[in-house]
Amino acid sequence: RRKALKGWPYGANVGWSPVGHIRKKDKCLYMGGWSTSWAIYPKTHLATISMSQSLVYFDVPGWVARKDELDSALEFGVAQHRRRVSALFRHRNKVGGAAGGGSSAQKA
């Protein structure tokens, strides 16, 4: 185990590499600045690059980070897909597999 970097403000959840930060829970590598950012998600084989070249010094009315920020929207979409696939597998196992199970409405 490595010692914590003295003065590192991000705690144990975020690591550092010469090219950017590493989110330890999923090994996401990312870096960003005022108007440009990028992220690489190795588990899903996805990468994002955002180059807005604009700065906003005030809150945007109605801004929802989950939908309006590229990285957040991507992460939300991947999580949503995983939940749906998991629910599909649970449903198939519950009705006895994909063949011959019928709908759950018919069984009720």
Side-chain angles (χ1 to χ4, degrees), residues 89-102:
F89 282 123
R90 285 193 309 270
H91 176 72
R92 285 185 177 172
N93 288 336
K94 185 177 178 182
V95 297

Side-chain angles (χ1 to χ4, degrees), residues 12-51:
N13 296 330
V14 177
W16 181 88
S17 79
V19 295
H21 300 311
I22 301 171
R23 191 169 52 205
K24 292 184 179 181
K25 70 178 181 179
D26 60 357
K27 305 296 186 217
C28 174
L29 182 66
Y30 64 97
M31 181 57 82
W34 281 92
S35 61
T36 304
S37 65
W38 58 268
I40 300 171
Y41 303 84
K43 290 184 178 182
T44 56
H45 304 286
L46 292 172
T48 63
I49 300 173
S50 176
M51 298 176 66

Side-chain angles (χ1 to χ4, degrees), residues 73-92:
L74 177 68
E75 290 175 8
F76 178 76
V78 169
Q80 190 78 341
H81 175 72
R82 285 187 179 145
R83 283 191 290 273
R84 289 178 180 172
V85 168
S86 178
L88 177 63
F89 282 123
R90 285 193 309 270
H91 176 72
R92 285 185 177 172

